[in-house]
Structure formats: C-alpha cells, structure tokens
Amino acid sequence: MGKLYIVPTPVGNLNDMTFRAIQVLKEADLILAEDTRTSGILLKHFEIKNAMQSHHKFNEHQTVENVVKRILDGETIALISDAGTPGISDPGFLLARECARAGIEVQCLPGPTAFVPALVASGLPCDRFCFEGFLPQKKGRATRLKALSEEERTLVFYESPYRLLKTLTQFTESFGPGRQAAVAREISKAHEETVRGTLAELVEHFTTNEPRGEIVIVVAGIDK
C-alpha cells in the first residue's frame, strides 16, 4: 500500500517552501494539483519533474475513487493546492477522508497557510480563535454573522479584495463599529501589509485605499 502526502506550498515567497516538501514532491509517483498551470511554475522552479494531474473542487468527486485505488495498489501520491495547505479553503478534505476510510496512511506536512501569520501579526488574542474561512455569499450569511456576533474567540476570515469593503461594512453592523480588527493582505509577498484598528476605522481606510491581493480579516471576539 502507498501513502497520501498533503503538501503545503508557499502563499507568497517561494523561499517558504520546506526542504521536506520538495523531497516528497520529487519522490511521489503522482502529484495532484489544484491548477496544473499554477503548480507547474512552482515545480519548474524547484526542478520537480514528476507526473502531475488536475485535482480541484469541480472534479474531485469524480477522481477520488481512482486516486484511492492507485494508492492501495502501492503508489505514493502528493496533493498540493495553488497556495497554502490543501484542505484549508482548498480541495483536500474529501481525498483525506476517503483515504482514511480505506485505511491509507495520510500525512500532512507542516508548512505555509495564510491565516496563521495574519492571526499572530494582528495583535489580537491568538490563544483561542475561530477560523471561518470564506463566509457564504448569500444564503446563510446573515444567520452566520448573527451567530458569530456573540463569539468570544478571535474570528478569522478569508475574503476577496473586491468584497472586502462590503464585508467590513457588514461586520460593523453585526459586531459593532468599535470592535477591534486587522486586515492582512499579500502575506509573504513584496507588498505585505497589516492594517489594524476598529472596524469603523478599517472601513474608512479601505474606502480611500483600494484593497489588492489576497485578504485575511481578523476580528476580536466579543468582550464579556
């Protein structure tokens, strides 16, 4: 029987790639990639020439059975996403679950993920936190925000720069304009930035400063 490796890849600076991640990818019989074009750039940079196959949210239900069979037949397969750790707001959970159910060893390497540096650098409590990822776009969004308005742990969200201002405005309505928060963008890239303040101050800031890049929002829990 083979093994499934879940391999984090850099969210920004390519130097964040670990030696072990490179070794695992070079030794794998097959690399599953969310976008083979994006991952092709990464693999070329590290001179990794192994076979690669597309594995994303639109085809994972169709491909997972065959992948599990290949591992049961003795192959070692590595899963990567476009950036960060697969399974965290990226494809990965379904394959990990089915491999575990089949008795296959699943190993996730430690490595890059966007929300951890954003949380730690926010200046907000990070001993206990609640990772929400991307909120529902329409159905269930208001209900989720209402439930989170009483959450005492620090809240962490992913967001698109195009929806950031709208989301921050909704946060002021649900959590109150005086709630402390931080917006981190372009983590581990040349223009990395963390903007801290109340939700009202962040709305004001990003009204006059157009947000760009990948966004992580960190919001303080309710103070009881």
Side-chain angles (χ1 to χ4, degrees):
M1 185 186 299
K3 182 186 298 186
L4 173 67
Y5 283 103
I6 299 174
V7 183
T9 55
V11 297
N13 194 317
L14 289 180
N15 289 329
D16 292 337
M17 191 77 166
T18 68
F19 292 121
R20 186 179 175 212
I22 295 170
Q23 179 184 3
V24 166
L25 293 179
K26 285 185 174 181
E27 294 177 353
D29 295 301
L30 176 67
I31 298 170
L32 300 177
E34 185 178 4
D35 187 325
T36 55
R37 294 165 299 179
T38 300
S39 296
I41 297 171
L42 176 77
L43 299 188
K44 183 178 180 181
H45 180 82
F46 291 107
E47 300 180 345
I48 300 168
K49 301 176 182 179
N50 298 39
M52 185 166 45
Q53 177 181 309
S54 177
H55 182 85
H56 48 71
K57 65 181 180 180
F58 301 108
N59 75 354
E60 60 179 344
H61 285 84
Q62 288 75 43
T63 60
V64 65
E65 183 177 347
N66 182 57
V67 172
V68 170
K69 182 179 182 302
R70 291 181 66 164
I71 299 174
L72 289 172
D73 287 341
E75 292 190 35
T76 295
I77 293 182
L79 172 67
I80 60 177
S81 61
D82 289 348
T85 301
I88 305 297
S89 296
D90 282 325
F93 161 70
L94 179 64
L95 181 57
R97 182 187 69 184
E98 294 308 307
C99 283
R101 286 178 174 175
I104 293 169
E105 183 179 355
V106 178
Q107 281 194 14
C108 180
L109 276 60
T113 187
F115 79 83
V116 173
L119 171 63
V120 175
S122 70
L124 297 172
C126 53
D127 54 333
R128 297 174 64 247
F129 62 91
C130 179
F131 175 69
E132 288 293 315
F134 289 97
L135 285 167
Q137 284 307 299
K138 294 180 181 178
K139 186 179 180 181
R141 187 180 180 92
T143 303
R144 191 74 199 127
L145 287 174
K146 182 178 180 181
L148 291 172
S149 66
E150 296 298 314
E151 175 61 63
E152 296 182 28
R153 295 170 293 178
T154 301
L155 302 165
V156 185
F157 305 88
Y158 285 163
E159 190 51 282
S160 157
Y162 309 108
R163 295 190 297 265
L164 175 63
L165 197 55
K166 177 182 177 181
T167 297
L168 288 175
T169 301
Q170 290 176 331
F171 284 0
T172 65
E173 297 166 355
S174 298
F175 306 147
R179 186 83 69 94
Q180 290 293 318
V183 172
R185 66 179 194 88
E186 295 290 80
I187 292 169
S188 193
K189 297 178 183 177
H191 301 288
E192 180 174 353
E193 176 185 49
T194 300
V195 182
R196 304 171 183 85
T198 64
L199 285 170
E201 289 169 341
L202 292 176
V203 168
E204 182 180 355
H205 175 84
F206 287 106
T207 298
T208 56
N209 298 272
E210 182 182 359
R212 296 181 181 180
E214 301 296 323
I215 302 288
V216 183
I217 310 172
V218 185
V219 182
I222 190 170
D223 187 11
K224 290 187 176 180

